[in-house]
């Protein structure tokens, strides 16, 4: 292909084959590397049928993958590209032959672009102003000096799979050395991971199973565990002969830690009542994890001696501060220090500290990051490698312990989570994550024929809450392409018009609910640095705070059918409970009752206002998801039901005899209906093939369904030469 003709226009999109980036007007579309390679192949053969075998040979060369991987990537591309004016998919599936791009493709005029650069006149192509550039691993080549001059772009010596930020439109900064990437999985459903001490093996979870991958031969096997457990956090023993795994994969469900041979077999339970990730000391003699005491709203970082089974608490936190549930305690190579992350629920800001295991001396590190997900120690023992986000996505950083300075390791449009390194710190494995959600609607009588009404791959519409105002309008939370800027918006499903209700920066507005008269929207907001319930009218003109208090947070508002009471969850250092506020006055009553329960992260009021449902995370709850239902008139009457939801949310049916919840996995999910009758089995209402359901809501009549639905893609990559 002619190097100069590497920009393509088709169906309202632009694809830059030189940097493997897709654009809709001025918006950069986020896609996985393999999806972009697949799109590039179809574009290069536009109008022609590309067989499945040719796709596998070129996109997944030297890698064995199942056909479902191709189907998943085709589905993702179709979601992004949509249809033409006649409703025809831009990517066609030709039965038993393959796929083709059905829309016309034209080349962009590079001579015109060159003149734009020389004269610096305004352009309608804003890609070169703030774009981040990606080079595909399938195109390991040098860009010629003549093209660099013609385009007035300084693009220097790309080798391998790496990214960098174009800080200047014409002259991106040159990196000092070469960071190498290698994609290890491409199924989109990789969860937890770890690397063996010698760096030869990677263990990771897919669904409920643990897989082992040899980094030298690329061979892969599934670990057969006789007493199978749903695996979460993973870690090899120091000798590499055993794998420790946790069953925790939800922030409000406790788990256990097991040990199994590297070859599989029977798993041995090591400890239970674990509420975070865990890690082994370098000598393998001790285990570090967090134990939660929900009834007291406290958590403790624990060290357990595996020989004596004795436990020692290192540090205890009380709400609103808590240990980040998906963070693993990170041992230094000499076993003397542990690095850990805590998060304050009132500020949504991470705190990173080091604790000396012997004398409990604590040192706080203060990098300027909103969120820190994972930590590992670097080989020098003087720095940490962390997964953290400063604005949009989670990237990898090197953090100096001495002065707190940070140095960027990765810089691209994906998020990097779940870090693991070999003992020599030369191989780092991480999980790339890309996700987005859009809103779909449908009728009760035709529920499996939903219609998509919002689009895009860089927004998360409805992920943090959506509710019907009436039979046509929906209010939902959307993040405007930034992790922390969650604002409320109204969508008219009849004509597609949208109205913004909040316009905040650095604020999280979420979980909206609507008053019975349809005039007021209540929602959670941390605009005063502490989450409280606020209200705004449906026109977006009157905004005011509804709930108040000190040293506590308020979440998940629900309004009684008569409009007289507001229910919400109160979390504090003392307790978690359900609050009831009179909307005709200022009194707040805590509905704790004599039966002990501790509400988790959702609250749902039945249509008749008689029952409240929430997840119970009290100390008497087992490791399964325990749904509690209390009477609003007599909170002492509590019924517990065990369900297995994918998302922490239920919604009552209009008659109050059923509730619905999301079940499944990140690749295929559905909505289940559960009768409140004892021993009743759930039945499936909706099957969302090849999609994740993040949220849903029924309209007031129960005739219309809105679903926040999209993609959550998580794949494993190997990084080398990262300590630069």
């Amino acid at each position: 292909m002619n190097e100069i003709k590497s920009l393509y226009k088709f169906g309202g999109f632009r694809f830059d084959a030189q940097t493997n980036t897709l654009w809709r007007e001025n918006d950069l579309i986020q896609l996985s590397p393999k999806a972009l390679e697949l799109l590039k192949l179809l574009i290069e053969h536009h109008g022609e049928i590309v067989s499945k075998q040719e796709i596998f040979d070129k996109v997944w060369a030297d890698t064995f993958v199942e056909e479902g991987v191709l189907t998943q990537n085709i589905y993702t591309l179709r979601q992004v590209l949509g249809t033409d004016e006649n409703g025809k998919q831009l990517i066609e599936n030709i039965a038993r032959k393959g796929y083709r791009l059905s829309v016309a493709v034209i080349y962009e005029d590079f001579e015109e672009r060159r003149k734009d650069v020389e004269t610096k006149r305004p352009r309608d192509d804003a890609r070169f102003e703030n774009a981040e550039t990606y080079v595909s691993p399938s195109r390991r080549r040098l860009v010629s000096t003549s093209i660099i001059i013609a385009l007035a772009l300084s693009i220097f010596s790309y080798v391998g799979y790496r990214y960098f930020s174009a800080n200047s439109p014409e002259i991106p900064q040159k990196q000092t050395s070469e960071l190498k990437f290698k994609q290890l999985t491409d199924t989109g459903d990789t969860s937890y991971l770890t690397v063996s001490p010698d760096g030869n093996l990677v263990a990771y979870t897919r669904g409920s199973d643990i897989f082992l991958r040899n980094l030298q031969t690329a061979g892969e096997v599934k670990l057969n565990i006789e007493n199978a457990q749903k695996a979460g956090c993973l870690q090899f023993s120091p000798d590499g002969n055993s794998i420790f795994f946790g069953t925790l994969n939800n922030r409000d469900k406790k788990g256990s830690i097991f040990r199994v041979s590297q070859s599989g077999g029977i798993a041995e339970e090591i400890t239970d009542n674990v509420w975070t990730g865990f890690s082994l000391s370098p000598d393998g003699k001790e285990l570090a994890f967090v134990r939660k005491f929900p009834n007291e709203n406290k958590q403790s970082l624990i060290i357990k001696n595996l020989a004596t089974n004795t436990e020692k608490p290192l540090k205890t936190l009380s709400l609103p501060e808590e240990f980040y549930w998906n963070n693993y305690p990170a041992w230094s190579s000499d076993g003397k220090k542990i690095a850990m992350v805590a998060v304050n629920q009132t500020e949504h800001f991470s705190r990173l500290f080091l604790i000396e295991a012997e004398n409990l001396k604590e040192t706080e590190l203060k990098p300027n990051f909103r969120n820190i997900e994972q930590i590992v120690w670097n080989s020098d023992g003087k720095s940490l490698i962390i997964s953290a986000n400063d604005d949009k996505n989670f990237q990898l950083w090197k953090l100096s312990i001495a002065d707190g300075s940070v140095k960027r390791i990765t810089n691209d449009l994906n998020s990097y989570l779940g870090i693991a390194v070999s003992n020599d710190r030369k191989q780092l494995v991480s999980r790339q994550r890309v996700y987005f959600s859009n809103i779909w609607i449908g009728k009760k009588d035709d529920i499996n024929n939903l219609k998509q009404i919002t689009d895009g791959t860089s927004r998360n519409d409805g992920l943090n809450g959506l509710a019907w105002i009436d039979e046509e309008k929906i209010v939902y939370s959307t993040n405007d392409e930034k992790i922390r800027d969650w604002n409320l918006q109204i969508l008219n499903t009849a004509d597609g018009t949208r109205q913004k209700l909040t316009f905040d920066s650095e604020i999280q507005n979420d979980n909206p609910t609507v008053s019975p008269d349809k005039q007021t929207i209540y929602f959670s907001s941390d605009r005063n640095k502490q989450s409280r319930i606020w209200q705004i009218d449906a026109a977006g003109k009157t905004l005011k705070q509804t709930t108040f208090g000190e040293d506590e947070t308020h979440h998940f508002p629900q309004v009684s059918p008569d409009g007289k009471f507001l229910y919400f969850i109160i979390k504090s250092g003392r307790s978690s409970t359900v609050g009831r506020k009179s909307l005709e006055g200022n009194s707040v009553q805590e509905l704790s009752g004599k039966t002990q329960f501790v509400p988790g992260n959702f609250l749902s009021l039945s249509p008749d206002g008689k029952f409240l449902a929430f997840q119970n995370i009290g100390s008497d709850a087992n490791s399964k998801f325990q749904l509690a239902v209390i009477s609003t008139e007599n909170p002492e009457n509590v019924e517990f039901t065990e369900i297995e939801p994918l998302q922490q949310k239920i919604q009552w049916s209009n008659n109050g005899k059923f509730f619905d919840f999301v079940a499944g996995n990140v690749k295929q999910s559905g909505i289940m209906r559960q009768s409140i009758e004892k021993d009743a089995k759930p039945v499936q209402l909706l099957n969302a093939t090849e999609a994740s359901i993040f949220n849903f809501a029924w309209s007031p009549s129960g005739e219309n369904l809105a679903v926040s639905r999209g993609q959550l893609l998580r794949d494993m990559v190997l990084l080398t030469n990262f300590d630069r």
Side-chain angles (χ1 to χ4, degrees), residues 581-645:
K581 175 184 172 65
S582 169
L583 293 176
E584 298 174 346
N586 292 316
S587 62
V588 175
Q589 176 188 4
E590 293 188 4
L591 307 182
S592 59
K594 293 181 180 179
T595 303
Q596 180 63 50
F597 55 77
V598 180
N601 285 324
F602 77 88
L603 185 68
S604 182
L605 179 66
S606 62
D608 58 10
K610 293 182 179 181
F611 299 100
L612 283 164
F614 51 86
Q615 182 191 4
N616 178 44
I617 58 172
S619 60
D620 58 339
N622 60 27
S623 59
K624 294 184 178 180
F625 187 100
Q626 190 178 77
L627 180 71
V629 178
I630 65 172
S631 165
T632 56
E633 296 302 320
N634 187 4
E636 296 178 8
N637 294 335
V638 186
E639 295 288 340
F640 296 109
T641 303
E642 289 183 356
I643 59 175
E644 290 294 331

Side-chain angles (χ1 to χ4, degrees), residues 397-415:
W397 310 77
K398 180 179 177 181
L399 169 64
S400 169
I401 294 175
D403 60 12
S405 61
V406 294
K407 181 180 180 181
R408 183 184 288 272
I409 296 176
T410 61
N411 186 15
D412 61 73
L413 299 176
N414 298 303
S415 283

Side-chain angles (χ1 to χ4, degrees), residues 236-252:
F236 279 94
S237 60
D239 60 11
N241 294 328
S242 301
I243 295 176
F244 288 72
F245 65 92
T247 58
L248 173 78
N249 44 48
N250 185 302
R251 63 172 294 175
D252 282 332

Side-chain angles (χ1 to χ4, degrees), residues 77 108 127 131 171 223 265 328 348 354 388 427 589 627 635 672 688:
L77 289 176
E108 190 171 44
R127 289 176 296 179
I171 309 177
L223 200 64
Y328 311 161
H348 297 280
L354 306 179
Q427 299 192 91
Q589 176 188 4
L627 180 71
M672 309 295 291

Side-chain angles (χ1 to χ4, degrees), residues 545-695:
Q545 188 171 343
T546 309
T547 65
F548 302 84
E550 295 183 2
D551 299 323
E552 59 187 37
T553 59
H554 302 161
H555 313 269
F556 313 109
Q558 296 282 283
V559 185
S560 62
D562 58 12
K564 294 181 178 180
F565 296 102
L566 177 73
Y567 295 93
F568 55 98
I569 291 180
I570 303 173
K571 294 186 177 183
S572 70
R574 303 180 304 277
S575 64
S576 290
T577 187
V578 177
R580 176 167 58 194
K581 175 184 172 65
S582 169
L583 293 176
E584 298 174 346
N586 292 316
S587 62
V588 175
Q589 176 188 4
E590 293 188 4
L591 307 182
S592 59
K594 293 181 180 179
T595 303
Q596 180 63 50
F597 55 77
V598 180
N601 285 324
F602 77 88
L603 185 68
S604 182
L605 179 66
S606 62
D608 58 10
K610 293 182 179 181
F611 299 100
L612 283 164
F614 51 86
Q615 182 191 4
N616 178 44
I617 58 172
S619 60
D620 58 339
N622 60 27
S623 59
K624 294 184 178 180
F625 187 100
Q626 190 178 77
L627 180 71
V629 178
I630 65 172
S631 165
T632 56
E633 296 302 320
N634 187 4
E636 296 178 8
N637 294 335
V638 186
E639 295 288 340
F640 296 109
T641 303
E642 289 183 356
I643 59 175
E644 290 294 331
L646 179 62
Q647 307 295 340
Q648 292 184 4
K649 174 185 176 66
I650 74 157
Q651 184 170 351
W652 294 88
S653 62
N654 278 12
N655 60 15
K657 295 182 179 180
F658 305 90
F659 61 82
D660 299 336
F661 64 93
V662 177
N665 54 55
V666 297
K667 297 187 71 174
Q668 181 170 332
S669 57
I671 296 179
M672 309 295 291
R673 172 156 289 182
Q674 173 74 58
S675 170
I676 63 174
E677 296 295 330
K678 190 174 183 179
D679 299 326
K681 301 295 183 182
V683 296
Q684 188 175 73
L685 293 182
L686 170 68
N687 182 21
T689 305
E690 297 182 336
S692 290
I693 295 177
F694 301 111
N695 217 326

